[in-house]
Amino acid sequence: MDSWRVAVLGDGDVGKTALAVQFTLNCFTYDPTIEDAYRKQIVVDNKMCFVEVIDTAGQEEYATLRDQWVREGQGFILVYSIASRSTFDRLGAFRQSMLRVKRLKPIFILVGNKCDKMHEREVSKEEGAALATSFGCTFVEASAKTAHNVEHLFTTLVRLLRSTKPSDAIPKTKPSAPRVAIEDRKPPSCRKCFIF
Amino acid sequence: MTYISTIGSASPDLKHIHFTAEVDTTKAKPKQEATAKSLLFPELNAATKDHIQSVFDMADQFRDLTANPHTAEMRAASEDFITFIEAILRGCIHLPVRMRSGPRFDLAFKGVVFSGSGFLQRVPSAESGPYFVDEVQVSLQWMYMTMASLRELLRVIQRLRDVPKPLPAIPPPDDESPLVLDYPASAIAEEDAMFEEEVALMLERPSTPVDVPVPPASPSTESSSPAATPHGVSFRIDSTCLATDVSALEASIEPVARGIVVKSSLKRLVLGVTRKRSRKALTLAMWSNASFSKSSTTIAPSPCLASFGGESPRTEAPVPPSAADSADPAFAPDKDETAAARDVYHGASRICAASLPGLVRLLTSKAAVTDARLNHLFFFSFRFFATAQEFVAALAERCSEGAPGGLAPGQIVCWEDDARVTKVRVAKVLLVWLRQYWRHAWHAEALDALRELVSSQRAADPKAASIWGQVAAQLAAASEDPTYRGCWAQKLSATSPPSPPPSPPLKFQLVTKDAIGKGAFQSVDALHFHTGTGREELARQLCLATSEMFCAIDPEDAVHFWKAGVDAGTGSCISRMSAFENALAYWVAGTIVGKPTVRSRAETMEFFLDLAARVLELRNYACACAISAGLGLIMSRLRETTSTISEAHRATAHRIETFFALHNRKAYRLSLAADQGPTVPLLATFKHDVDLAFTMRSHRAHPDFPEETLIDLDRYRVVARVIQSMETCRTPYRFQRVGYVHKWLRHVLDEFASKSSSESLYSLDEMR
């Protein structure tokens, strides 16, 4: 059984907690002193797996912590609200953090949340899809309120994670090493053999 | 000197729970002298007298411990206390059978068992949690109740000893005939009179001793009724002491104190009867307990008291089969419980959901101990699901509840007694609201309704005028001052463990102090603080700076800001603090990256790791997390430098990062709840909890009554916990403020605070 740690990133008030709560509905009792409060067991392609959700809600103002979130997560859900243009515009910073910290290409899904608020829509579905294409990721519009596409986006992310990391478990320490280390910028010739 | 007065004089600190505290033996009346001598049973006194003395000593010791509570000492004292109680109760086996077989003794004995068990279960087991102070107070209240129960037992022994002839034989059981019919109407009336006298004593607290006559039994019932008592025998109650007892207990645990004084309530407590019965019916059941072979309830004593089960005269409280197995028409239906079944949904260990009337019913329940957690939960959160006017209306409705139909005249009298107690509880709830939780800005809309309620209740029940008068006075104080706020925070800080005294300034002089004074901040380097005292001083000044910012944030306002985002003042305080933390993180990262060599970068990194560890020790979680975040930014970029630092520092970095790991902040939360005192918590965690709370459902259906929609209390429990936790942390550090360090810190942090996060990260990447 594989385990995946998924971080939900995005601006404030886009519905990150709502997505996490909706996904873990019926198996969720909030008690911060209990581990795995956000853990859920699901079946994807006839294979059981655990998904642990890292909810970054409340930390939006702490930009310095973004690297830590990315270090802790294996897969990412990049969330914006279709009813708020500003949340859509600020997604670039989160993608930059992912690209900076992750050595390999980060696995993430772009999610336009609150799709039940059609009459308040500020970001069109086409814009979301275009941004996802430029990011090189999958795009889904979902609604945590109505549970529309919530299960789907997590199963899609698990499939993506499995396709890139066939068998993985939640590491005990840091999930990945830094992608770019300033002090490692040495010419490739340094890694060749020595000539005496 | 009576046996009990000996105890009283030996322990002057506990006068408020003594029966007769001051008795002059030289002026003792012959009757009292005879009583005193007659109480000196060789069997009881030989071993038990010392035990009783020890119990009072232990009670004094336990009470002293609660002033500066330490769990281990309290547990030890409570174990000793219960051991002596156990020994006293064991000593009762040597009393004459005629005394032990009476229902009064049985009742008093079980009262001690019950309260002792409750006390032992409520002694805090760990010095942790935001409710630790409340738990200590509750355990103290249970200790008082145990002492009062013990006093009651001794008083019963004394009273039974005064009876010059044995109790009459108990009639054989007669399950076919209702109990009420077996008990003569005259005896019921006399019992009622005595009960009324006791209630009057409790409420009015007369200052002069009163003689309460034991009702003489009528000739026709003397031989047949088990309740028959000798003619003309009276026992003397020192009402001053009784009033003192009630006053002292009422202040802390009023409903339990009432339960001790009012027999019916004590019987309910002792029996553990969850289904409320009328007072007279219970009285009859107790009088006739020997006639029933079937018992419905059994006291479950604590492990320490469990051994009593077999040795006490009767550890099980027999209840008439008709009362235990089916609804007895003689018992008045309890409106509290029938209504509560629909209005309140109890989970396995907590109340999950309730309607507003159900919550009011819980708050004003006459059969329960005042629950500080329920008070916190309700008063911190009711504004989110009801207005103050609706709350007052619910209280008024509670006061004006009418008697259920179809009650017998005797039952109506019982119901009126209970209704009066309920109204007193309503007054108590109002007093708690006004004293501790009232906010004029939020609750002023209910002032008129409150005034009307208080004036009407004050006029309706002259016996309870005192408590309603207190409510009126508090209401007047609250309504006069628009800035009035309840004093819960002050109360909490008053009961918190004392903070250490302000420390003297460290013998640390920054070599460039003059430079700072002249404004040459660039000449001061962070590594100038890289000494033992330097790191300590910098950590302390960081604590002072962040603590000042945190203490400026009102917890309730913060929750409302996070929920609605409307309070600009609170919002600016919160933003200021988060900006400070971000700037601190970027400053840490920028300072390390700005060093020219790997060795100097490693040294700076080690300095900040030491600084983070120190501020973590000082419970400044905000700064520790910020420094850790800044180091995290660097350690992911400077791998060679990171590999240069010592193993100990690498372990420190890992420990701090794990402590603040976002996916599991269990360690942080446990640490936050572990101790009280100056603390700077992570605001982000509180905001997350509030976000989560208001993502939860606000209402839910009652599982047993799907048509009932109840308020989901789990949501508001999180909110109340956040407010209480924030309030607990709002204790300022008591360090000496060093002005020039603050001046320097302000300068270096302003440079990073003025940049956006992407600018800071960009500049960080471009520095090398």
Side-chain angles (χ1 to χ4, degrees), chain A residues 56-84:
Chain A
T56 62
Q59 331 256 333
E60 295 86 1
E61 296 177 23
Y62 298 89
T64 52
L65 294 175
R66 277 184 205 148
D67 283 11
Q68 185 184 339
W69 308 336
V70 176
R71 275 201 301 275
E72 290 186 31
Q74 294 168 295
F76 304 94
I77 295 175
L78 210 54
V79 190
Y80 70 93
S81 166
I82 67 157
S84 170

PDB file of all heavy atoms in Angstrom, chain A residues 56-84:
ATOM      1  N   THR A  56      -2.583  24.083   4.115  1.00  0.00           N
ATOM      2  CA  THR A  56      -1.780  25.276   4.431  1.00  0.00           C
ATOM      3  C   THR A  56      -2.650  26.488   4.761  1.00  0.00           C
ATOM      4  O   THR A  56      -2.141  27.609   4.799  1.00  0.00           O
ATOM      5  CB  THR A  56      -0.867  25.637   3.245  1.00  0.00           C
ATOM      6  OG1 THR A  56      -1.685  25.947   2.116  1.00  0.00           O
ATOM      7  CG2 THR A  56       0.048  24.492   2.896  1.00  0.00           C
ATOM      8  N   ALA A  57      -3.919  26.244   4.979  1.00  0.00           N
ATOM      9  CA  ALA A  57      -4.818  27.367   5.286  1.00  0.00           C
ATOM     10  C   ALA A  57      -4.343  28.085   6.542  1.00  0.00           C
ATOM     11  O   ALA A  57      -3.893  27.469   7.506  1.00  0.00           O
ATOM     12  CB  ALA A  57      -6.235  26.857   5.493  1.00  0.00           C
ATOM     13  N   GLY A  58      -4.462  29.370   6.527  1.00  0.00           N
ATOM     14  CA  GLY A  58      -4.066  30.178   7.673  1.00  0.00           C
ATOM     15  C   GLY A  58      -2.627  30.647   7.597  1.00  0.00           C
ATOM     16  O   GLY A  58      -2.202  31.507   8.374  1.00  0.00           O
ATOM     17  N   GLN A  59      -1.849  30.060   6.701  1.00  0.00           N
ATOM     18  CA  GLN A  59      -0.424  30.390   6.632  1.00  0.00           C
ATOM     19  C   GLN A  59      -0.102  31.253   5.420  1.00  0.00           C
ATOM     20  O   GLN A  59       1.070  31.392   5.063  1.00  0.00           O
ATOM     21  CB  GLN A  59       0.392  29.094   6.536  1.00  0.00           C
ATOM     22  CG  GLN A  59      -0.224  27.898   7.183  1.00  0.00           C
ATOM     23  CD  GLN A  59       0.410  27.538   8.500  1.00  0.00           C
ATOM     24  OE1 GLN A  59       1.566  27.842   8.706  1.00  0.00           O
ATOM     25  NE2 GLN A  59      -0.333  26.922   9.379  1.00  0.00           N
ATOM     26  N   GLU A  60      -1.133  31.753   4.757  1.00  0.00           N
ATOM     27  CA  GLU A  60      -0.911  32.424   3.474  1.00  0.00           C
ATOM     28  C   GLU A  60       0.014  33.619   3.599  1.00  0.00           C
ATOM     29  O   GLU A  60       0.749  33.951   2.662  1.00  0.00           O
ATOM     30  CB  GLU A  60      -2.252  32.879   2.875  1.00  0.00           C
ATOM     31  CG  GLU A  60      -3.194  31.736   2.496  1.00  0.00           C
ATOM     32  CD  GLU A  60      -4.035  31.285   3.657  1.00  0.00           C
ATOM     33  OE1 GLU A  60      -3.897  31.880   4.757  1.00  0.00           O
ATOM     34  OE2 GLU A  60      -4.838  30.354   3.497  1.00  0.00           O
ATOM     35  N   GLU A  61      -0.033  34.279   4.745  1.00  0.00           N
ATOM     36  CA  GLU A  61       0.783  35.478   4.912  1.00  0.00           C
ATOM     37  C   GLU A  61       2.244  35.154   5.167  1.00  0.00           C
ATOM     38  O   GLU A  61       3.082  36.058   5.169  1.00  0.00           O
ATOM     39  CB  GLU A  61       0.237  36.323   6.068  1.00  0.00           C
ATOM     40  CG  GLU A  61      -1.164  36.863   5.805  1.00  0.00           C
ATOM     41  CD  GLU A  61      -1.689  37.631   6.995  1.00  0.00           C
ATOM     42  OE1 GLU A  61      -0.882  38.117   7.793  1.00  0.00           O
ATOM     43  OE2 GLU A  61      -2.918  37.728   7.141  1.00  0.00           O
ATOM     44  N   TYR A  62       2.536  33.906   5.406  1.00  0.00           N
ATOM     45  CA  TYR A  62       3.910  33.535   5.746  1.00  0.00           C
ATOM     46  C   TYR A  62       4.592  32.951   4.515  1.00  0.00           C
ATOM     47  O   TYR A  62       4.676  31.732   4.353  1.00  0.00           O
ATOM     48  CB  TYR A  62       3.905  32.542   6.912  1.00  0.00           C
ATOM     49  CG  TYR A  62       3.303  33.141   8.154  1.00  0.00           C
ATOM     50  CD1 TYR A  62       1.942  33.064   8.400  1.00  0.00           C
ATOM     51  CD2 TYR A  62       4.095  33.844   9.064  1.00  0.00           C
ATOM     52  CE1 TYR A  62       1.375  33.644   9.522  1.00  0.00           C
ATOM     53  CE2 TYR A  62       3.539  34.424  10.181  1.00  0.00           C
ATOM     54  CZ  TYR A  62       2.185  34.318  10.408  1.00  0.00           C
ATOM     55  OH  TYR A  62       1.625  34.895  11.515  1.00  0.00           O
ATOM     56  N   ALA A  63       5.071  33.842   3.668  1.00  0.00           N
ATOM     57  CA  ALA A  63       5.684  33.402   2.420  1.00  0.00           C
ATOM     58  C   ALA A  63       6.948  32.597   2.676  1.00  0.00           C
ATOM     59  O   ALA A  63       7.314  31.734   1.864  1.00  0.00           O
ATOM     60  CB  ALA A  63       6.013  34.630   1.573  1.00  0.00           C
ATOM     61  N   THR A  64       7.586  32.853   3.797  1.00  0.00           N
ATOM     62  CA  THR A  64       8.842  32.140   4.083  1.00  0.00           C
ATOM     63  C   THR A  64       8.605  30.660   4.346  1.00  0.00           C
ATOM     64  O   THR A  64       9.551  29.876   4.312  1.00  0.00           O
ATOM     65  CB  THR A  64       9.522  32.752   5.315  1.00  0.00           C
ATOM     66  OG1 THR A  64       8.572  32.810   6.367  1.00  0.00           O
ATOM     67  CG2 THR A  64      10.032  34.137   5.008  1.00  0.00           C
ATOM     68  N   LEU A  65       7.379  30.307   4.628  1.00  0.00           N
ATOM     69  CA  LEU A  65       7.094  28.902   4.925  1.00  0.00           C
ATOM     70  C   LEU A  65       6.786  28.089   3.677  1.00  0.00           C
ATOM     71  O   LEU A  65       6.638  26.883   3.754  1.00  0.00           O
ATOM     72  CB  LEU A  65       5.906  28.807   5.900  1.00  0.00           C
ATOM     73  CG  LEU A  65       6.137  29.365   7.300  1.00  0.00           C
ATOM     74  CD1 LEU A  65       4.847  29.325   8.099  1.00  0.00           C
ATOM     75  CD2 LEU A  65       7.203  28.566   8.024  1.00  0.00           C
ATOM     76  N   ARG A  66       6.682  28.764   2.525  1.00  0.00           N
ATOM     77  CA  ARG A  66       6.284  28.042   1.312  1.00  0.00           C
ATOM     78  C   ARG A  66       7.266  26.927   0.985  1.00  0.00           C
ATOM     79  O   ARG A  66       6.863  25.827   0.605  1.00  0.00           O
ATOM     80  CB  ARG A  66       6.201  29.017   0.137  1.00  0.00           C
ATOM     81  CG  ARG A  66       4.899  29.764   0.084  1.00  0.00           C
ATOM     82  CD  ARG A  66       4.855  30.630  -1.161  1.00  0.00           C
ATOM     83  NE  ARG A  66       3.945  31.753  -0.961  1.00  0.00           N
ATOM     84  CZ  ARG A  66       4.105  32.952  -1.505  1.00  0.00           C
ATOM     85  NH1 ARG A  66       5.158  33.192  -2.268  1.00  0.00           N
ATOM     86  NH2 ARG A  66       3.243  33.902  -1.293  1.00  0.00           N
ATOM     87  N   ASP A  67       8.537  27.214   1.153  1.00  0.00           N
ATOM     88  CA  ASP A  67       9.537  26.183   0.860  1.00  0.00           C
ATOM     89  C   ASP A  67       9.336  24.962   1.747  1.00  0.00           C
ATOM     90  O   ASP A  67       9.505  23.824   1.318  1.00  0.00           O
ATOM     91  CB  ASP A  67      10.951  26.744   1.053  1.00  0.00           C
ATOM     92  CG  ASP A  67      11.365  27.624  -0.113  1.00  0.00           C
ATOM     93  OD1 ASP A  67      10.486  27.958  -0.937  1.00  0.00           O
ATOM     94  OD2 ASP A  67      12.553  27.982  -0.201  1.00  0.00           O
ATOM     95  N   GLN A  68       8.968  25.233   2.983  1.00  0.00           N
ATOM     96  CA  GLN A  68       8.759  24.123   3.909  1.00  0.00           C
ATOM     97  C   GLN A  68       7.563  23.278   3.472  1.00  0.00           C
ATOM     98  O   GLN A  68       7.609  22.046   3.530  1.00  0.00           O
ATOM     99  CB  GLN A  68       8.537  24.679   5.322  1.00  0.00           C
ATOM    100  CG  GLN A  68       8.430  23.601   6.384  1.00  0.00           C
ATOM    101  CD  GLN A  68       8.108  24.168   7.749  1.00  0.00           C
ATOM    102  OE1 GLN A  68       8.335  25.347   8.016  1.00  0.00           O
ATOM    103  NE2 GLN A  68       7.568  23.341   8.625  1.00  0.00           N
ATOM    104  N   TRP A  69       6.498  23.943   3.028  1.00  0.00           N
ATOM    105  CA  TRP A  69       5.328  23.173   2.568  1.00  0.00           C
ATOM    106  C   TRP A  69       5.718  22.296   1.395  1.00  0.00           C
ATOM    107  O   TRP A  69       5.317  21.136   1.311  1.00  0.00           O
ATOM    108  CB  TRP A  69       4.195  24.103   2.121  1.00  0.00           C
ATOM    109  CG  TRP A  69       3.797  25.137   3.097  1.00  0.00           C
ATOM    110  CD1 TRP A  69       3.974  25.088   4.451  1.00  0.00           C
ATOM    111  CD2 TRP A  69       3.176  26.381   2.817  1.00  0.00           C
ATOM    112  NE1 TRP A  69       3.485  26.232   5.022  1.00  0.00           N
ATOM    113  CE2 TRP A  69       2.990  27.042   4.040  1.00  0.00           C
ATOM    114  CE3 TRP A  69       2.746  27.010   1.645  1.00  0.00           C
ATOM    115  CZ2 TRP A  69       2.396  28.290   4.133  1.00  0.00           C
ATOM    116  CZ3 TRP A  69       2.142  28.243   1.741  1.00  0.00           C
ATOM    117  CH2 TRP A  69       1.988  28.884   2.968  1.00  0.00           C
ATOM    118  N   VAL A  70       6.483  22.881   0.488  1.00  0.00           N
ATOM    119  CA  VAL A  70       6.856  22.132  -0.714  1.00  0.00           C
ATOM    120  C   VAL A  70       7.774  20.970  -0.346  1.00  0.00           C
ATOM    121  O   VAL A  70       7.683  19.882  -0.906  1.00  0.00           O
ATOM    122  CB  VAL A  70       7.525  23.079  -1.737  1.00  0.00           C
ATOM    123  CG1 VAL A  70       8.008  22.298  -2.944  1.00  0.00           C
ATOM    124  CG2 VAL A  70       6.546  24.154  -2.164  1.00  0.00           C
ATOM    125  N   ARG A  71       8.672  21.213   0.595  1.00  0.00           N
ATOM    126  CA  ARG A  71       9.555  20.132   1.032  1.00  0.00           C
ATOM    127  C   ARG A  71       8.760  18.982   1.635  1.00  0.00           C
ATOM    128  O   ARG A  71       9.091  17.824   1.467  1.00  0.00           O
ATOM    129  CB  ARG A  71      10.556  20.665   2.058  1.00  0.00           C
ATOM    130  CG  ARG A  71      11.784  21.307   1.447  1.00  0.00           C
ATOM    131  CD  ARG A  71      12.932  21.343   2.451  1.00  0.00           C
ATOM    132  NE  ARG A  71      12.584  22.078   3.657  1.00  0.00           N
ATOM    133  CZ  ARG A  71      12.687  23.409   3.767  1.00  0.00           C
ATOM    134  NH1 ARG A  71      13.127  24.118   2.756  1.00  0.00           N
ATOM    135  NH2 ARG A  71      12.357  24.023   4.887  1.00  0.00           N
ATOM    136  N   GLU A  72       7.700  19.327   2.377  1.00  0.00           N
ATOM    137  CA  GLU A  72       6.932  18.282   3.054  1.00  0.00           C
ATOM    138  C   GLU A  72       6.024  17.514   2.100  1.00  0.00           C
ATOM    139  O   GLU A  72       5.666  16.375   2.364  1.00  0.00           O
ATOM    140  CB  GLU A  72       6.089  18.903   4.173  1.00  0.00           C
ATOM    141  CG  GLU A  72       6.901  19.397   5.351  1.00  0.00           C
ATOM    142  CD  GLU A  72       6.012  19.878   6.489  1.00  0.00           C
ATOM    143  OE1 GLU A  72       4.919  19.344   6.660  1.00  0.00           O
ATOM    144  OE2 GLU A  72       6.424  20.816   7.189  1.00  0.00           O
ATOM    145  N   GLY A  73       5.610  18.141   1.008  1.00  0.00           N
ATOM    146  CA  GLY A  73       4.641  17.494   0.121  1.00  0.00           C
ATOM    147  C   GLY A  73       5.289  16.719  -0.999  1.00  0.00           C
ATOM    148  O   GLY A  73       6.420  16.986  -1.412  1.00  0.00           O
ATOM    149  N   GLN A  74       4.567  15.731  -1.492  1.00  0.00           N
ATOM    150  CA  GLN A  74       5.016  14.978  -2.665  1.00  0.00           C
ATOM    151  C   GLN A  74       4.205  15.396  -3.893  1.00  0.00           C
ATOM    152  O   GLN A  74       4.721  15.524  -4.973  1.00  0.00           O
ATOM    153  CB  GLN A  74       4.851  13.484  -2.401  1.00  0.00           C
ATOM    154  CG  GLN A  74       5.765  12.978  -1.312  1.00  0.00           C
ATOM    155  CD  GLN A  74       5.378  11.578  -0.885  1.00  0.00           C
ATOM    156  OE1 GLN A  74       4.302  11.364  -0.341  1.00  0.00           O
ATOM    157  NE2 GLN A  74       6.260  10.633  -1.131  1.00  0.00           N
ATOM    158  N   GLY A  75       2.928  15.549  -3.693  1.00  0.00           N
ATOM    159  CA  GLY A  75       2.067  16.055  -4.744  1.00  0.00           C
ATOM    160  C   GLY A  75       1.404  17.334  -4.272  1.00  0.00           C
ATOM    161  O   GLY A  75       1.323  17.581  -3.061  1.00  0.00           O
ATOM    162  N   PHE A  76       0.926  18.138  -5.216  1.00  0.00           N
ATOM    163  CA  PHE A  76       0.391  19.446  -4.819  1.00  0.00           C
ATOM    164  C   PHE A  76      -0.926  19.730  -5.532  1.00  0.00           C
ATOM    165  O   PHE A  76      -1.120  19.326  -6.691  1.00  0.00           O
ATOM    166  CB  PHE A  76       1.407  20.549  -5.140  1.00  0.00           C
ATOM    167  CG  PHE A  76       2.736  20.313  -4.506  1.00  0.00           C
ATOM    168  CD1 PHE A  76       3.748  19.659  -5.198  1.00  0.00           C
ATOM    169  CD2 PHE A  76       2.979  20.691  -3.202  1.00  0.00           C
ATOM    170  CE1 PHE A  76       4.964  19.412  -4.625  1.00  0.00           C
ATOM    171  CE2 PHE A  76       4.202  20.446  -2.613  1.00  0.00           C
ATOM    172  CZ  PHE A  76       5.191  19.802  -3.317  1.00  0.00           C
ATOM    173  N   ILE A  77      -1.772  20.381  -4.819  1.00  0.00           N
ATOM    174  CA  ILE A  77      -3.008  20.871  -5.417  1.00  0.00           C
ATOM    175  C   ILE A  77      -2.942  22.393  -5.349  1.00  0.00           C
ATOM    176  O   ILE A  77      -2.946  22.969  -4.249  1.00  0.00           O
ATOM    177  CB  ILE A  77      -4.237  20.336  -4.657  1.00  0.00           C
ATOM    178  CG1 ILE A  77      -4.310  18.823  -4.801  1.00  0.00           C
ATOM    179  CG2 ILE A  77      -5.512  20.971  -5.188  1.00  0.00           C
ATOM    180  CD1 ILE A  77      -5.408  18.186  -3.989  1.00  0.00           C
ATOM    181  N   LEU A  78      -2.849  22.991  -6.480  1.00  0.00           N
ATOM    182  CA  LEU A  78      -2.728  24.455  -6.568  1.00  0.00           C
ATOM    183  C   LEU A  78      -4.134  25.013  -6.770  1.00  0.00           C
ATOM    184  O   LEU A  78      -4.746  24.792  -7.807  1.00  0.00           O
ATOM    185  CB  LEU A  78      -1.816  24.790  -7.748  1.00  0.00           C
ATOM    186  CG  LEU A  78      -0.982  26.059  -7.675  1.00  0.00           C
ATOM    187  CD1 LEU A  78      -0.150  26.099  -6.418  1.00  0.00           C
ATOM    188  CD2 LEU A  78      -0.065  26.138  -8.897  1.00  0.00           C
ATOM    189  N   VAL A  79      -4.636  25.715  -5.779  1.00  0.00           N
ATOM    190  CA  VAL A  79      -6.046  26.090  -5.771  1.00  0.00           C
ATOM    191  C   VAL A  79      -6.211  27.594  -5.964  1.00  0.00           C
ATOM    192  O   VAL A  79      -5.465  28.386  -5.386  1.00  0.00           O
ATOM    193  CB  VAL A  79      -6.716  25.679  -4.429  1.00  0.00           C
ATOM    194  CG1 VAL A  79      -8.224  25.843  -4.523  1.00  0.00           C
ATOM    195  CG2 VAL A  79      -6.371  24.264  -4.059  1.00  0.00           C
ATOM    196  N   TYR A  80      -7.170  27.958  -6.777  1.00  0.00           N
ATOM    197  CA  TYR A  80      -7.631  29.351  -6.825  1.00  0.00           C
ATOM    198  C   TYR A  80      -9.150  29.326  -6.808  1.00  0.00           C
ATOM    199  O   TYR A  80      -9.772  28.269  -6.986  1.00  0.00           O
ATOM    200  CB  TYR A  80      -7.090  30.062  -8.078  1.00  0.00           C
ATOM    201  CG  TYR A  80      -7.696  29.599  -9.372  1.00  0.00           C
ATOM    202  CD1 TYR A  80      -8.804  30.239  -9.929  1.00  0.00           C
ATOM    203  CD2 TYR A  80      -7.158  28.508 -10.055  1.00  0.00           C
ATOM    204  CE1 TYR A  80      -9.358  29.804 -11.120  1.00  0.00           C
ATOM    205  CE2 TYR A  80      -7.704  28.073 -11.243  1.00  0.00           C
ATOM    206  CZ  TYR A  80      -8.805  28.718 -11.778  1.00  0.00           C
ATOM    207  OH  TYR A  80      -9.362  28.282 -12.950  1.00  0.00           O
ATOM    208  N   SER A  81      -9.723  30.468  -6.572  1.00  0.00           N
ATOM    209  CA  SER A  81     -11.179  30.575  -6.564  1.00  0.00           C
ATOM    210  C   SER A  81     -11.622  31.197  -7.881  1.00  0.00           C
ATOM    211  O   SER A  81     -11.093  32.247  -8.281  1.00  0.00           O
ATOM    212  CB  SER A  81     -11.643  31.433  -5.383  1.00  0.00           C
ATOM    213  OG  SER A  81     -12.988  31.799  -5.552  1.00  0.00           O
ATOM    214  N   ILE A  82     -12.585  30.556  -8.525  1.00  0.00           N
ATOM    215  CA  ILE A  82     -13.050  31.117  -9.802  1.00  0.00           C
ATOM    216  C   ILE A  82     -13.788  32.434  -9.585  1.00  0.00           C
ATOM    217  O   ILE A  82     -14.022  33.181 -10.528  1.00  0.00           O
ATOM    218  CB  ILE A  82     -13.965  30.129 -10.546  1.00  0.00           C
ATOM    219  CG1 ILE A  82     -15.270  29.937  -9.768  1.00  0.00           C
ATOM    220  CG2 ILE A  82     -13.263  28.809 -10.806  1.00  0.00           C
ATOM    221  CD1 ILE A  82     -16.390  29.452 -10.642  1.00  0.00           C
ATOM    222  N   ALA A  83     -14.104  32.708  -8.321  1.00  0.00           N
ATOM    223  CA  ALA A  83     -14.808  33.947  -8.006  1.00  0.00           C
ATOM    224  C   ALA A  83     -13.862  35.053  -7.568  1.00  0.00           C
ATOM    225  O   ALA A  83     -14.295  36.094  -7.072  1.00  0.00           O
ATOM    226  CB  ALA A  83     -15.839  33.691  -6.905  1.00  0.00           C
ATOM    227  N   SER A  84     -12.558  34.830  -7.718  1.00  0.00           N
ATOM    228  CA  SER A  84     -11.587  35.837  -7.297  1.00  0.00           C
ATOM    229  C   SER A  84     -10.411  35.861  -8.272  1.00  0.00           C
ATOM    230  O   SER A  84      -9.605  34.919  -8.306  1.00  0.00           O
ATOM    231  CB  SER A  84     -11.104  35.544  -5.873  1.00  0.00           C
ATOM    232  OG  SER A  84     -10.023  36.355  -5.550  1.00  0.00           O
TER     233      SER A  84
END
